[in-house]
Amino acid sequence: MASNIVPTSDLEPGGAAPSGFERDRAAGSLGGVVRGYLDRLRGGDLGALPAVLGIVVLTLLFYALRPETFLTPLNITNLIIQAAPITLLAMGLVWVLLLGDIDLSAGVVSGVCAAVMAQLLAQQGAPWWVAVLAALVTGAVIGLFTGTLVALIGIPSFVVTLALFLAFQGVTLRIIGQGGTVPIRDETIRGLTNSYIPVGAGWALAAAVIAAYAVLQLNRWRTQRSKGLDSQPLVVVVARIVLIAVIVLVLTAILNADRALSRAVDLKGIPYAIPVVIVLLLVLTFLLGRTTFGRHVYAVGGNSEAARRAGISVTRIRIMVFMLASSMAAVSGLVAAARLSSVTPGSGGGNTLLYAVGAAVIGGTSLFGGRGRIRDAVLGGLVIAIIDNGLGLLQVSAYLNYIITGGVLLLAASVDALARRRAAAGKS
């Protein structure tokens, strides 16, 4: 039976409960939005704030240390291309982390899928689209296998994916061969990171992205208002649109600038890898935030037993998530292969997985499940890429690069743990 008792926190100073209209008006005002955001911060919900602050601070730091190189169009383009494979891999890992699971094999899975594509191109002479499709199917099948072991048999994801991390390194070695390297000569594949959208088309794409974002935001605000739902003030919505527009236009201007070191070479335009990342970001964001499947993922990650009792097929959700994560690993492997124009037995190994997990966690996805967004992978991927790129420009020793990157990941995990503790204390 529903209770009609009004919580004391909702009472006005005089003791009378405020009307629903007054509460909605307070929440829908600019001051209410600010107070609500500050309350979430005090409650431990930091969201993307640490990642955004990290991007700003690191950019200012490396610009101060290397003002002649760090913010040049050439270096920014290299930084973004460098971030693309890690970001794509992290987009898949966000789904796994939302369940409270982990996929330690994601990096080497990207290497296996890239090896399948490379061998089909080099040895079988397959068309590029056949090779790409085969790589994606390979990723999905691997994810189905992994998810089945975790969800149906009940083996902890840490154990399963650690075993597969070792096994798939052997698979890549078998496909490529000991000490071998398979070059990527297909111009379509190489063009993902080595070809650029013409300047005019790049500006048109930027305008289309801004217009689409504005229409979606304004339509959402109008729908909420027409149905009497809580909505942010129009000034906040417009400010968000303006901010995104400024970021898109500035980035487009930088990428469309001539960044060639020689006047004899014309090197300008947006790399094709960027639209790939943007499209996948939009699709996965919609899937996670606007579909039943996405809501079920959050529910399973928050409390799997409660989700099961609510009628959600926890087994099916977990299998589908691992399939999605491995498919994104395949996409990451293809972009990494295009960037390096080759695939080796070590592709996807080394620090690939650690950087991707770090990107997701630094961006704001919780290691404990139930909290995170796809954008976290993009923000965290930029933080990782800025650190790697900036330290490279400073010619820092490799051991310091590892130590600093590990320290940033540890800091992000600590912030996540403290935020969860504070949120739990606030509910008690």
Side-chain angles (χ1 to χ4, degrees):
M1 179 180 299
S3 174
N4 293 322
I5 300 176
V6 178
T8 56
S9 60
D10 287 345
L11 293 178
E12 292 180 330
S19 67
F21 171 76
E22 290 169 334
R23 284 196 300 268
D24 292 344
R25 183 177 61 184
S29 65
L30 182 59
V33 172
V34 174
R35 286 192 296 272
Y37 180 70
L38 294 177
D39 288 342
R40 290 197 299 273
L41 291 181
R42 285 191 289 267
D45 184 7
L46 301 180
L49 181 61
V52 173
L53 291 178
I55 291 173
V56 173
V57 171
L58 289 170
T59 298
L60 294 176
L61 173 63
F62 288 125
Y63 176 68
L65 295 175
R66 282 292 183 271
E68 70 284 357
T69 55
F70 184 71
L71 288 183
T72 60
L74 179 61
N75 188 61
I76 291 177
T77 304
N78 290 337
L79 189 153
I80 293 174
I81 294 176
Q82 183 180 353
I86 296 299
T87 298
L88 292 167
L89 186 60
M91 285 183 185
L93 287 173
V94 165
W95 294 84
V96 178
L97 294 175
L98 282 172
L99 296 181
D101 287 318
I102 189 68
D103 187 354
L104 300 178
S105 66
V108 292
V109 167
S110 71
V112 170
C113 297
V116 169
M117 178 199 67
Q119 287 291 36
L120 285 175
L121 290 173
Q123 302 296 331
Q124 307 300 323
W128 69 267
W129 61 270
V130 172
V132 169
L133 182 61
L136 295 177
V137 170
T138 300
V141 170
I142 290 174
L144 176 62
F145 177 68
T146 306
T148 299
L149 293 177
V150 173
L152 284 180
I153 300 180
I155 308 175
S157 60
F158 180 88
V159 177
V160 171
T161 57
L162 178 61
L164 295 180
F165 169 79
L166 299 173
F168 285 135
Q169 291 185 76
V171 172
T172 306
L173 182 61
R174 175 66 181 85
I175 295 174
I176 300 297
Q178 181 71 36
T181 297
V182 179
I184 304 294
R185 295 190 173 92
D186 186 274
E187 292 301 322
T188 302
I189 301 297
R190 287 165 50 89
L192 281 173
T193 55
N194 298 298
S195 296
Y196 309 98
I197 299 174
V199 172
W203 283 113
L205 177 63
V209 169
I210 295 171
Y213 181 79
V215 168
L216 290 174
Q217 291 294 315
L218 292 173
N219 184 64
R220 181 184 180 190
W221 176 83
R222 182 188 61 80
T223 302
Q224 290 174 336
R225 297 281 291 184
S226 65
K227 294 183 178 180
L229 302 175
D230 288 341
S231 62
Q232 293 182 331
L234 182 59
V235 64
V236 174
V237 177
V238 172
R240 187 186 300 121
I241 294 172
V242 171
L243 177 61
I244 294 299
V246 170
I247 293 174
V248 170
L249 292 175
V250 170
L251 184 60
T252 302
I254 292 173
L255 295 177
N256 279 338
D258 190 357
R259 50 187 177 271
L261 299 178
S262 171
R263 294 184 180 273
V265 179
D266 185 23
L267 186 61
K268 52 187 174 182
I270 300 174
Y272 282 99
I274 294 180
V276 171
V277 174
I278 292 175
V279 168
L280 288 172
L281 171 64
L282 296 176
V283 171
L284 294 180
T285 298
F286 176 82
L287 185 62
L288 183 59
R290 301 289 180 181
T291 67
T292 302
F293 173 67
R295 290 191 292 271
H296 286 178
V297 170
Y298 278 119
V300 173
N303 190 322
S304 61
E305 180 58 24
R308 185 188 65 80
R309 294 186 179 186
I312 297 174
S313 177
V314 176
T315 299
R316 180 178 63 86
I317 292 296
R318 296 182 79 185
I319 292 175
M320 291 179 66
V321 163
F322 275 97
M323 290 181 65
L324 180 58
S326 292
S327 298
M328 287 301 300
V331 178
S332 171
L334 301 184
V335 175
R339 175 172 173 257
L340 300 175
S341 298
S342 64
V343 178
T344 68
S347 294
N351 298 316
T352 303
L353 172 73
L354 300 180
Y355 281 171
V357 173
V361 175
I362 291 170
T365 298
S366 175
L367 284 168
F368 303 96
R371 191 180 77 236
R373 297 184 181 183
I374 304 301
R375 72 178 185 194
D376 298 342
V378 178
L379 295 174
L382 287 175
V383 172
I384 294 292
I386 289 173
I387 293 174
D388 196 36
N389 181 274
L391 294 179
L393 292 178
L394 294 174
Q395 298 181 345
V396 172
S397 300
Y399 77 92
L400 279 178
N401 194 332
Y402 291 132
I403 292 174
I404 293 173
T405 305
V408 172
L409 175 57
L410 182 61
L411 177 62
S414 301
V415 170
D416 178 33
L418 293 174
R420 285 181 59 88
R421 179 183 299 178
R422 188 164 185 173
K427 293 177 181 179
S428 61

